């Protein structure tokens, strides 16, 4: 039986529909934010929008302008904004009990059971789940503790181009220097190896795996032997970089040979984003642990979690904690989101719509030299722009601005900011994908043609 409304019933019908933006109400709220909010606020500096309502794959600003959302809160709203099937259960739960630390509730245990069912590979039915703090960074912190506790080592190995969060431990794994500047020293013996790309020849998979192997097995490697390997199965902030098919399997072998944990960060790629429950499923590899957050709360409710093989459940009581590890409405939201994805076959839908979008952009790339690569899986799409041999961040900004002015919200990524990153809700309809692609393609052709 199908649950919840059909996909085409979730959205504002008039998207995209914009006048001059930003409008006066948005301007007023943006100015008020500049006066009293933190100077760390980033997103409104690029896209000056103040949000009022959101439905499905559409958002409406404070002036009534309606946009197609190809951003989804950085991949948080996989089943769309304000999905009625999710909200109904969450609202009912809010009237019952909301905060339970780690006392058992039906929603807590049901969500754990559902995650065990959809877990990658041999983790299915042989894993435990720990909830900690409410963010992806918190889930990463828990994974660092898990690896250290099970190996007795403190070294950490991640990858160039990686983003794992900005709390102290997670920031040690994150590769971006701009995030670290002014906050050192961080955790000792956190090292980064090259990350290969299936669509480019800059770093081969053999070179990358050999670099990882040396960090474990070279007696003069210069660092503590890592307790674990932290890897995004597809890099997000790094530019939607898809590795060669054999990369994760090679990391699995190195981890096994050196008694280390393979920890896969599925915070952005999990819960159907790439057309599988987890991006790891594309590579037929079973990690020791996966970290989750973002879409896990179903409707934007904050929740972070780590699912790990039961053999590594060596903690004693209180071995990993967090005040908000009992967010029952978020548990309910996660359960309902999984049910909605299953009922509407959104994994297949994300695969089909994502393939359509990449095909559209490849057509543009054939006529636009600056668009040098189109990549991704499912509804995780990256478009890389290079002009005269140099990464072109300014071109991406122009494209992003053109899309905003014409009613489509997109964002950027990449080591040099030169990748257009598209992460729309999985409930994006085929019609919306066509309309959004029309706007984005026109933005690319216009901005590139003006160069």
């Amino acid at each position: 039986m199908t649950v919840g409304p059909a996909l085409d019933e979730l959205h504002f019908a008039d998207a995209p529909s914009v006048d001059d933006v930003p409008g006066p109400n948005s301007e007023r709220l943006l100015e008020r934010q500049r006066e009293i909010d933190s100077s760390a606020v980033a997103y409104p500096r690029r896209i000056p929008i103040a949000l009022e309502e959101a439905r499905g794959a559409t958002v409406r600003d404070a002036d009534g302008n309606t946009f197609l959302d190809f951003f989804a809160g950085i991949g948080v709203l996989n089943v769309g904004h304000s999905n009625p099937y999710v909200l109904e259960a969450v609202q009912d739960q809010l009237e019952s009990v909301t905060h339970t630390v780690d006392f058992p509730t039906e929603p807590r245990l049901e969500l754990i059971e559902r995650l065990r069912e959809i877990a990658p590979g041999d983790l299915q039915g042989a894993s435990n789940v720990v909830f900690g703090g409410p963010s992806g960074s918190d889930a990463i912190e828990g994974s660092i503790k898990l690896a250290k506790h099970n190996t007795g080592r403190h070294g950490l190995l991640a990858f160039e181009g990686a983003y794992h969060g900005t709390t102290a431990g997670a920031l040690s794994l994150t590769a971006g220097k701009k995030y670290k500047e002014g906050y050192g020293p961080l955790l000792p013996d956190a090292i980064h190896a090259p990350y290969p790309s299936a669509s480019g020849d800059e770093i081969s998979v053999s070179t990358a795996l050999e670099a990882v192997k040396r960090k474990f097995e070279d007696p003069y490697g210069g660092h503590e032997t890592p307790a674990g390997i932290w890897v995004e199965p597809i890099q997000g902030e790094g530019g939607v970089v898809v590795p060669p098919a054999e990369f994760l399997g090679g990391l699995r072998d190195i981890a096994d040979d050196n008694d280390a944990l393979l920890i896969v960060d599925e915070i952005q790629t999990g819960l159907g984003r790439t057309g599988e429950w987890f991006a790891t499923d594309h590579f037929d590899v079973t990690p020791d642990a996966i970290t989750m957050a973002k879409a896990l709360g179903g409707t934007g409710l904050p929740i972070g979690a780590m699912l790990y093989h039961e053999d590594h459940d060596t903690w004693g009581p209180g071995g990993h904690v967090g005040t908000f590890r009992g967010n029952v409405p978020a548990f309910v939201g996660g359960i309902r989101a999984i049910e909605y994805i299953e009922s509407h076959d959104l994994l297949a839908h994300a695969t089909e719509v994502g393939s359509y979008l990449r095909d559209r952009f490849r057509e543009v790339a054939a006529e636009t030299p600056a668009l040098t690569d189109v990549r991704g899986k499912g509804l995780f799409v990256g478009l890389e722009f290079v002009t005269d041999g140099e990464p072109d961040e300014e071109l991406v900004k122009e494209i992003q601005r053109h899309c905003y002015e014409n009613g489509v919200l997109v964002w950027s990524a990449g080591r040099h900011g030169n990748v257009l990153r598209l992460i729309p809700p999985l409930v994006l309809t085929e019609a919306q994908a066509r309309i959004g692609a029309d706007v984005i393609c026109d933005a690319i052709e216009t901005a590139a043609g003006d160069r």
Side-chain angles (χ1 to χ4, degrees):
M1 182 181 71
T2 302
V3 301
L7 265 60
D8 58 5
E9 298 174 5
L10 295 174
H11 321 273
F12 292 127
D14 59 338
S17 175
V18 298
D19 294 321
D20 290 337
V21 288
N25 291 327
S26 291
E27 289 277 28
R28 175 178 56 82
L29 290 169
L30 289 163
E31 177 58 30
R32 184 179 172 196
Q33 181 180 45
R34 285 190 287 268
E35 291 175 355
I36 64 174
D37 208 339
S38 168
S39 58
V41 166
Y43 289 103
R45 296 175 188 270
R46 289 280 292 270
I47 297 296
I49 184 174
L51 300 177
E52 181 81 13
E53 298 179 85
R55 298 284 186 275
T58 59
V59 299
R60 186 167 287 161
D61 74 6
D63 298 281
N65 297 299
T66 310
F67 301 80
L68 285 175
D69 183 7
F70 276 54
F71 180 51
I74 326 179
V76 168
L77 286 310
N78 279 15
V79 295
H81 296 271
S82 307
N83 186 304
Y85 182 70
V86 179
L87 286 183
E88 176 188 34
V90 168
Q91 288 164 350
D92 287 345
Q93 185 61 51
L94 285 168
E95 296 178 3
S96 177
V97 61
T98 61
H99 176 70
T100 60
V101 195
D102 54 11
F103 292 104
T105 61
E106 288 287 350
R108 180 191 188 93
L109 300 180
E110 184 178 351
L111 179 58
I112 291 173
E113 289 171 348
R114 294 310 318 271
L115 292 173
R116 284 163 53 91
E117 291 171 2
I118 66 175
D122 294 338
L123 285 174
Q124 290 186 7
S127 54
N128 291 353
V129 174
V130 63
F131 301 103
S135 74
S137 291
D138 296 308
I140 292 293
E141 297 289 346
S143 72
I144 293 172
K145 292 171 66 177
L146 184 79
K148 288 183 175 183
H149 192 261
N150 277 275
T151 66
R153 304 195 295 264
H154 69 262
L156 315 175
L157 189 146
F159 291 90
E160 296 168 6
Y163 182 87
H164 295 288
T166 57
T167 52
L171 188 57
S172 301
L173 294 170
T174 291
K177 294 180 181 179
K178 66 180 180 181
Y179 300 110
K180 299 171 182 271
E181 187 175 356
Y183 300 117
L186 298 169
L187 296 186
D189 287 337
I191 54 180
H192 294 80
Y195 190 95
S197 171
S199 56
D201 298 323
E202 295 180 4
I203 300 292
S204 70
V205 66
S206 59
T207 298
L209 290 174
E210 183 59 32
V212 173
K213 187 176 181 179
R214 285 199 307 272
K215 293 302 181 182
F216 280 94
E217 300 177 6
D218 185 346
Y220 276 74
H223 298 277
E224 158 88 1
T225 299
I229 300 170
W230 281 260
V231 61
E232 296 162 274
I234 299 173
Q235 286 192 339
E237 184 73 15
V240 193
V241 180
V242 182
E246 64 270 29
F247 179 56
L248 259 66
L251 295 180
R252 175 73 276 172
D253 291 341
I254 293 170
D256 289 341
D257 290 344
N258 293 277
D259 297 320
L261 272 62
L262 176 62
I263 298 163
V264 177
D265 182 342
E266 295 269 11
I267 292 165
Q268 188 164 155
T269 53
L271 282 302
R273 168 58 48 197
T274 68
E276 297 283 356
W277 281 115
F278 295 97
T280 309
D281 292 321
H282 291 287
F283 304 101
D284 194 26
V285 169
T286 298
D288 294 294
I290 60 174
T291 54
M292 298 170 280
K294 288 190 184 294
L296 183 59
T299 187
L301 295 177
I303 178 173
M306 176 175 57
L307 182 145
Y308 55 99
H309 197 279
E310 59 191 11
D311 289 349
H312 302 304
D313 196 14
T314 58
W315 280 321
H320 184 58
V321 297
T323 299
F324 292 102
R325 64 189 186 274
N327 186 345
V328 192
F331 298 153
V332 170
I335 294 164
R336 282 291 180 106
I338 291 171
E339 291 174 351
Y340 192 87
I341 290 170
E342 288 177 327
S343 176
H344 294 267
D345 200 11
L346 292 187
L347 301 184
H349 179 75
T351 299
E352 181 178 349
V353 176
S355 294
Y356 164 78
L357 289 172
R358 281 185 289 277
D359 286 346
R360 284 288 308 274
F361 299 134
R362 288 184 179 118
E363 291 175 4
V364 175
E367 304 295 330
T368 309
L371 177 49
T372 57
D373 197 17
V374 178
R375 54 187 181 244
K377 287 185 180 294
L379 281 171
F380 198 30
V381 181
L383 313 179
E384 184 167 6
F385 293 87
V386 176
T387 302
D388 297 329
E390 297 294 329
D392 200 336
E393 180 181 10
E394 291 305 312
L395 179 56
V396 170
K397 289 180 179 179
E398 291 178 29
I399 294 166
Q400 184 181 32
R401 183 165 50 250
H402 186 284
C403 289
Y404 160 65
E405 291 171 349
N406 288 274
V408 177
L409 302 180
V410 298
W411 208 254
S412 61
R415 302 185 189 191
H416 305 284
N418 65 314
V419 176
L420 199 69
R421 176 173 40 165
L422 310 179
I423 41 178
L426 308 185
V427 298
L428 185 80
T429 67
E430 293 178 3
Q432 289 172 328
R434 286 194 297 272
I435 295 168
D438 287 344
V439 172
I440 296 167
C441 290
D442 181 66
I444 293 170
E445 292 166 347
T446 299
D450 291 339
R451 292 304 182 93

